[in-house]
């Protein structure tokens, strides 16, 4: 079976060459203080498309550069913790991979359901930044 190998420590998980926070509260606080939107990545270790993100999308230098404009949070959907379950319910996420771009207050700006190739992913990121800048939510 194809799996998405992911390194992690107490505060971060690493997908491809990208470091994602694992504490949503801390991420929201950082986003609010820095005036940046949050991108929440919902993933699992058994998700083949998550591995495609690791190998094909997150490894792209342009994607890495664009992701710097966001506070990044990764939520392991296999984690039975209350925080992961609450976030899945709050953002109506029930399969991986999914990304939700939100304001620091949690308002949804953009949803990326399923896998998006590099060019499409970059378009979603740009739409999220534009909606954040103009105060437009979904």
């Amino acid at each position: 079976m194809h799996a998405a190998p992911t390194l992690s420590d107490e505060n971060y998980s690493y997908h491809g060459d990208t470091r994602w926070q694992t504490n949503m509260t801390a991420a929201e606080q950082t986003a609010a203080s820095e005036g940046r939107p949050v991108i929440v990545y919902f993933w699992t270790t058994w998700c083949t498309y998550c591995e495609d993100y690791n190998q094909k999308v997150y490894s792209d230098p342009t994607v890495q550069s664009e992701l710097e404009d966001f506070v990044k949070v990764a939520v392991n959907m296999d984690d039975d913790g209350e925080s992961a379950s609450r976030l899945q319910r709050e953002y109506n996420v029930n399969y991986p991979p999914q990304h939700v771009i939100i304001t620091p207050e949690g308002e949804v700006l953009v949803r990326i359901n399923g896998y998006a190739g590099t060019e499409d992913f970059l378009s979603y990121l740009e739409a999220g930044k534009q909606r954040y800048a103009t105060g437009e939510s979904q």
Side-chain angles (χ1 to χ4, degrees), residues 54-135:
N54 290 349
Q55 292 181 0
K56 299 175 184 175
V57 178
Y58 299 147
S59 63
D60 183 274
T62 305
V63 169
Q64 289 178 7
S65 176
E66 290 298 313
L67 281 172
E68 291 304 315
D69 294 334
F70 298 84
V71 175
K72 300 172 291 296
V73 179
V75 177
N76 183 346
M77 294 177 68
D78 286 335
D79 179 356
D80 291 332
E82 177 52 37
S83 178
S85 297
R86 179 185 58 79
L87 290 168
Q88 288 177 59
R89 286 190 307 274
E90 184 174 345
Y91 295 108
N92 195 28
V93 172
N94 44 22
Y95 62 87
Q98 289 191 39
H99 295 80
V100 183
I101 300 174
I102 61 173
T103 67
E105 299 77 32
E107 293 180 44
V108 175
L109 300 166
V110 172
R111 289 183 178 278
I112 308 169
N113 296 321
Y115 179 76
T118 302
E119 292 306 313
D120 289 336
F121 191 75
L122 287 167
S123 294
Y124 284 120
L125 294 179
E126 185 59 34
K129 288 192 297 188
Q130 287 179 0
R131 288 183 177 162
Y132 181 70
T134 62

